[in-house]
């Protein structure tokens, strides 16, 4: 028994197999992460450039009973996202998005929201890469933070972003330079007027994770909120935080993802460590 079907996909990983074949893993629109064998894929017209990393394509697949891999018969390219290769930095960031999907996307299980997040992120990143002469650090952090915030939301982690966890005052009541204390675990923050904010804390390293904190300006917490309410490509326009704010927000979001999202381990992101800023 076998049956054929079509899938819209974005390539995550390509592994050569026995000279002429390719094993391709992709994020699909209706089946989550899928892996297929493309026989005789090298220089084949049936695939063209549709099996390059980041390529979005329509795949013609065959599912055979008892087989662990799908068979990929044809792939028609929809969008190659070649613009991502314009800058080393945009390539690293796109690879980071791919690395994350390989880790957390469910296998053979529908997750349309994740597919949309990933494709919107590649669109937004490519649009930016094509518009600038060089990718500056601020833009890199902005899109990483927008992606991470949306990933947390996809995971069902509901941060209390708009008010102080303790006194419930709105963050809009504070000046942009106000420094909040953010919890790594609860995805929320405490304002400087609250008692729980001001006590002396011992060395961070010795604290258990649920008591670890980071500091974040009101501007940065606002960007977290913007990330959840705007399309990802808008982050370059609507985010108000400076580079320092984005760095701090990045640290917080990474900690939250590690803590809340299954599969998001503590290993450093390989694709980002190629950039000097993200080493170590
Ligand atoms: Zn408060």
């Amino acid at each position: 028994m076998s049956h054929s079907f079509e899938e819209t996909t974005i390539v995550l990983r390509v592994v050569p197999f026995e000279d002429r074949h390719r094993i391709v893993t992709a994020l699909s629109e209706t089946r989550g992460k899928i892996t297929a064998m493309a026989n005789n894929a090298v220089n084949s017209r049936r695939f063209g450039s549709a099996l390059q990393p980041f390529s979005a394509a329509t795949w013609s697949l065959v599912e055979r009973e008892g087989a662990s891999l799908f068979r990929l018969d044809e792939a028609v390219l929809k969008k190659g996202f070649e613009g991502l290769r314009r800058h080393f930095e945009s390539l690293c960031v796109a690879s980071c998005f791919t690395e994350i999907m390989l880790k957390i996307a469910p296998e053979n299980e529908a997750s349309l929201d994740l597919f949309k997040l990933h494709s919107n992120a590649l669109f937004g990143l490519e649009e930016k890469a094509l518009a600038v002469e060089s990718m500056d650090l601020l833009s890199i952090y902005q899109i990483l933070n927008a992606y991470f915030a949306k990933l947390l939301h996809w995971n069902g982690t509901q941060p209390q972003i708009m008010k102080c966890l303790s006194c419930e005052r709105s963050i809009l009541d504070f000046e942009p330079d106000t420094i909040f204390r953010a919890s790594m675990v609860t995805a929320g923050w405490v304002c400087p007027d609250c008692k729980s904010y001001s006590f002396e804390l011992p060395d961070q390293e010795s604290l258990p994770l649920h008591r670890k904190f980071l500091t974040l300006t009101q501007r940065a917490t606002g960007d977290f909120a913007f990330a959840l309410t705007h399309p990802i490509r808008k982050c370059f326009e609507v985010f108000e935080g400076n580079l320092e704010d984005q760095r701090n927000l990045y640290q917080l979001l990474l900690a939250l993802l590690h803590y809340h999202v299954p599969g998001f381990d503590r290993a450093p992101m390989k694709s980002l460590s190629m950039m000097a800023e993200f080493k170590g």
Side-chain angles (χ1 to χ4, degrees), residues 164-169 174 190-194:
C164 167
L165 276 177
S166 181
C167 69
E168 305 214 320
R169 254 176 87 191
F174 297 88
V190 174
C191 78
D193 298 340
C194 278

Side-chain angles (χ1 to χ4, degrees), residues 200-236:
E200 281 297 317
L201 279 161
D203 175 34
Q204 282 279 308
E205 288 304 310
S206 64
L207 287 174
L209 186 64
H210 69 276
R211 288 188 56 206
K212 279 196 205 300
F213 67 88
L214 284 161
T215 53
L216 215 58
T217 62
Q218 189 264 11
R219 272 189 308 269
T221 61
D223 288 351
F224 196 154
F226 281 142
L228 298 181
T229 50
H230 289 74
I232 196 161
R233 64 188 168 82
K234 290 279 177 196
C235 67
F236 306 113

Side-chain angles (χ1 to χ4, degrees), residues 5-13 24-36 47 50-61 70 72 74-81 115 118-119 122-123:
F5 62 100
E6 290 200 334
E7 260 297 340
T8 302
T9 60
I10 297 176
V11 173
L12 299 175
R13 183 171 56 203
V24 193
T25 302
L27 189 64
S28 71
E29 197 164 17
T30 68
R31 290 176 180 240
K33 191 167 56 188
I34 57 173
T35 299
F47 304 109
L51 303 187
Q52 297 289 325
F54 317 124
S55 284
T58 305
W59 283 11
S60 300
L61 291 150
F70 296 111
L72 179 58
E74 195 183 3
V76 179
L77 185 71
K78 292 174 91 167
K79 189 165 169 54
F81 289 111
F115 182 83
H118 191 63
S119 52
L122 295 184
F123 265 103

Side-chain angles (χ1 to χ4, degrees), residues 24 26 31 35 37 75 81 92 95 98 142 149 162 195 204 214 253 255 265 275:
V24 193
R31 290 176 180 240
T35 299
M37 173 72 78
F81 289 111
C92 290
S95 303
T98 297
Q142 283 170 329
M162 295 308 288
K195 276 211 183 85
Q204 282 279 308
L214 284 161
L253 288 167
D265 54 33
M275 286 187 277

